[in-house]
Amino acid sequence: MVFGQGAGPGGTAGEQSVRLNGLPPDGPMAPAGGQGDLASTPAAKRAAANTIESELEPRTKKAGDRPDDANGKIMSGLDNWATAAGMKTVQETWDQQVKSLMGRLAGEKGALRATAGTLQATDGERKARIGAVQSNFDKY
């Protein structure tokens, strides 16, 4: 870092300014272990997608359906009351929120599966392109 006096971007003369010339060797932006490589685990992404499909989606659906019966009984017992109309609004809102959450889970599951495949395909394509590069050292 360089500290100095003078007008910086948006500053006035005489103010202190700080300019970052590089990242410190340690800290949140430093590469772990000195490596800046992207690490992707397709198996972990598939496992997460499978967890969404086998655990989160069924449990969310079950939890979302649970109030339907109880609210239906309440609304039928409160016919001709303003409370019944309010309960109907609550139930409709609940159903919309459950539907939205189920859609979000499905989207995340699909994205995880697509990302796992995309990254594998990209890695394979890069490996093939690098392997196809001819080097003068190959002659020796």
Side-chain angles (χ1 to χ4, degrees):
M1 280 190 212
V2 176
F3 295 93
Q5 293 258 338
T12 61
E15 287 184 357
Q16 290 286 331
S17 63
V18 178
R19 185 177 74 221
L20 182 63
N21 286 341
L23 294 175
D26 58 350
M29 298 298 291
Q35 298 176 8
D37 298 334
L38 170 66
S40 174
T41 310
K45 287 178 180 26
R46 280 191 294 276
N50 290 340
T51 299
I52 291 172
E53 184 172 39
S54 65
E55 294 181 31
L56 295 178
E57 286 179 325
R59 290 179 182 181
T60 300
K61 179 156 179 31
K62 184 177 178 182
D65 291 344
R66 188 173 298 151
D68 289 347
D69 293 332
N71 287 347
K73 290 176 187 176
I74 291 171
M75 286 186 285
S76 67
L78 295 173
D79 277 343
N80 301 321
W81 286 65
T83 305
M87 286 300 298
K88 182 179 180 188
T89 301
V90 167
Q91 183 62 46
E92 289 170 353
T93 302
W94 175 260
D95 290 341
Q96 289 172 347
Q97 290 174 342
V98 169
K99 183 179 178 181
S100 176
L101 180 55
M102 293 297 292
R104 177 74 187 265
L105 287 170
E108 295 295 332
K109 176 180 64 177
L112 282 164
R113 288 186 172 147
T115 300
T118 299
L119 290 174
Q120 270 186 317
T122 301
D123 287 348
E125 184 256 332
R126 295 284 189 261
K127 180 180 178 183
R129 287 177 66 185
I130 291 169
V133 172
Q134 295 295 319
S135 169
N136 287 331
F137 293 113
D138 292 339
K139 297 175 187 176
Y140 301 101

